[in-house]
């Protein structure tokens, strides 16, 4: 579908439930909230699925859109969810419509608006809102700026392009509070996060003369630092800061015996191809997956796969 067709489809339904992905980041939560706001302004009843994993940094921006208990929805829209395996914890059901920007989208929804050329889902939702209401409110502009800036690492990641910067400029013109967003999401962290980062850096491993860098975050490290999930935003970016790193891996131990894996890479290596081996996916230079086992086992498996993908 194009944007106009998508807007017409959404406005043709009532009692809409909007889903965000498992372990939600700023792009999925803020983009979904902006879409929900626009649909409400368009005269539709819409609510966000109350994702139980949303962190305290994002919660104040999205909580007002959460569905009340007993909400009877008739149409389900997924935002920034590439595969069914990333549907939010606790949700079981079909998805009628998917709005996404991942090139690895598995086309699981009944209908879709997928724009892999966009650096963030916020940019997709931004154009969609302009077809729903023709204008973007100040609150929606701030939400979309959160999504855009967090998915581009405050415009530092390689997915940032001219269109990203034009979108940011337009959102600022529409009233996005970039000073607040930059302070809250990029300039300030908790003391627990500082302690956790120190342990991560101290324990990093390197392979192929430093071209592969691996950061591990164990449950024990989290406990010693006094850290919670609210302190874990963008941990995946730390390992890649090593000077010679081409492929960086972050292994985060989970309760229940699994590890959440984040892979970042330079253009010559596909992060998506690495994660696809384990049932994950994402972008060419940023992808993720889950591996059952200890962090050490996960690291050994990942190094083996990288040796196959990156000869």
């Amino acid at each position: 579908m194009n944007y106009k067709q998508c807007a017409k489809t959404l406005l043709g339904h009532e009692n809409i439930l909007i889903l965000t992905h498992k372990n939600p980041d700023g792009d999925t939560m803020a983009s979904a909230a902006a879409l929900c706001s626009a649909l409400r302004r368009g005269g539709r009843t819409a609510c966000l699925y109350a994702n139980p994993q949303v962190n305290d940094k994002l919660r104040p921006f999205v909580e007002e859109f959460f569905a009340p208990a007993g909400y009877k929805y008739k149409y389900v829209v997924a935002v920034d969810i590439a595969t069914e395996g990333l549907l939010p914890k606790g949700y079981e059901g079909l998805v009628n419509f998917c709005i996404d920007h991942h090139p690895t989208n598995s086309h699981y929804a009944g209908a879709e608006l997928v724009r892999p050329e966009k650096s963030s889902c916020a940019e997709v939702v931004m154009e969609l809102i302009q077809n729903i209401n023709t204008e973007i409110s100040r609150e929606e502009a701030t939400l979309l700026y959160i999504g855009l800036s967090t998915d581009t690492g405050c415009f530092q990641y390689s997915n940032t392009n001219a269109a990203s910067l034009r979108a940011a400029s337009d959102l600022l013109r529409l009233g996005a509070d970039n000073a607040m967003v930059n302070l809250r999401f990029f300039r300030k962290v908790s003391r627990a996060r500082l302690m956790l980062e120190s342990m991560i850096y101290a324990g990093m491993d390197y392979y192929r003369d430093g071209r592969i860098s691996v950061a591990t975050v164990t449950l024990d490290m989290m406990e010693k630092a006094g850290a919670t999930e609210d302190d874990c935003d963008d941990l995946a970016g730390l390992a890649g800061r090593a000077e010679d790193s081409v492929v960086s891996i972050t292994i985060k131990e989970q309760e229940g015996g699994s590890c959440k894996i984040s892979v970042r890479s330079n253009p010559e290596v596909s992060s998506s191809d690495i994660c696809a081996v384990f049932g994950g996916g994402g972008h060419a230079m940023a992808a993720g997956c889950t591996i059952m086992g200890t962090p050490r086992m996960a690291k050994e498996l990942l190094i083996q796969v990288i040796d196959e993908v990156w000869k």
Side-chain angles (χ1 to χ4, degrees):
M1 286 190 181
N2 59 36
Y3 290 101
K4 186 175 181 178
Q5 292 169 330
C6 181
K8 184 178 179 180
T9 297
L10 292 177
L11 291 173
H13 290 88
E14 265 290 357
N15 298 88
I16 298 169
L17 181 68
I18 304 175
L19 306 179
T20 54
H21 62 65
K22 189 184 296 183
N23 300 311
D25 59 10
D27 194 22
T28 189
M29 292 304 309
S31 297
L35 176 62
C36 186
S37 173
L39 287 171
R40 289 180 179 182
R41 289 196 299 116
R44 297 298 176 268
T45 302
C47 292
L48 297 190
Y49 176 78
N51 195 320
Q53 295 181 306
V54 63
N55 64 41
D56 288 342
K57 189 176 288 187
L58 287 166
R59 185 177 294 277
F61 298 96
V62 301
E63 198 168 30
E64 65 179 286
F65 301 104
F66 281 178
Y71 178 62
K72 302 294 184 182
Y73 57 88
K74 297 179 181 177
Y75 196 75
V76 180
V77 179
V79 174
D80 197 40
I81 303 179
T83 69
E84 287 179 291
L86 291 173
L87 290 173
K89 187 177 180 180
Y91 177 78
E92 295 181 3
L94 299 175
V95 175
N96 302 108
F97 204 103
C98 175
I99 301 167
D100 191 25
H101 72 120
H102 292 98
T104 56
N105 188 282
S106 62
H107 312 294
Y108 60 91
E112 64 183 35
L113 176 68
V114 180
R115 291 291 183 269
E117 73 277 9
K118 299 294 188 182
S119 65
S120 66
C121 203
E123 292 170 73
V124 185
V125 172
M126 180 180 175
E127 292 198 37
L128 179 56
I129 291 176
Q130 290 169 330
N131 281 270
I132 293 174
N133 290 318
T134 71
E135 61 186 33
I136 294 172
S137 72
R138 183 182 295 270
E139 180 186 25
E140 290 159 8
T142 294
L143 287 166
L144 292 169
Y145 191 85
I146 291 172
L148 172 58
S149 61
T150 54
D151 234 36
T152 57
C154 204
F155 309 103
Q156 295 182 77
Y157 296 161
S158 58
N159 62 334
T160 304
N161 53 40
S164 314
L165 298 175
R166 283 194 297 270
S169 175
D170 287 341
L171 291 171
L172 294 181
R173 177 178 54 79
L174 291 165
D177 191 348
N178 67 315
M180 178 276 296
V181 172
N182 290 340
L183 183 66
R184 189 178 183 94
F185 288 90
F186 301 105
R187 293 180 58 194
K188 297 292 185 180
V189 296
S190 67
R191 294 181 185 180
R193 170 61 181 250
L194 292 174
M195 177 64 73
L196 183 62
E197 284 192 16
S198 71
M199 290 191 281
I200 291 171
Y201 286 132
M204 279 179 58
D205 296 310
Y206 302 93
Y207 302 86
R208 290 202 192 183
D209 296 323
R211 290 181 295 167
I212 300 173
S213 54
V214 183
T216 302
V217 185
T218 65
L219 295 173
D220 184 59
M221 290 166 62
M222 293 282 289
E223 183 178 357
K224 287 180 179 178
T228 68
E229 288 302 316
D230 292 339
D231 301 305
C232 294
D233 284 351
D234 197 31
L235 286 179
L238 301 184
R241 298 187 68 185
E243 184 175 32
D244 297 319
S245 177
V246 175
V247 180
S248 63
I249 301 168
T250 302
I251 303 170
K252 188 172 181 297
E253 186 180 18
Q254 307 286 292
E255 298 283 357
S258 66
C259 291
K260 178 186 174 184
I261 311 299
S262 298
V263 180
R264 302 291 184 265
S265 62
N266 292 358
E268 59 262 41
V269 189
S270 172
S271 295
S272 182
D273 286 352
I274 294 167
C275 291
V277 175
F278 303 99
H283 301 281
M285 290 181 281
C289 62
T290 298
I291 296 177
M292 293 301 300
T294 66
R296 181 176 179 178
M297 291 169 57
K299 179 172 63 176
E300 291 173 353
L301 289 170
L302 284 160
I303 296 301
Q304 290 174 14
V305 168
I306 292 172
D307 284 341
E308 292 298 320
V309 172
W310 183 24
K311 296 294 186 182

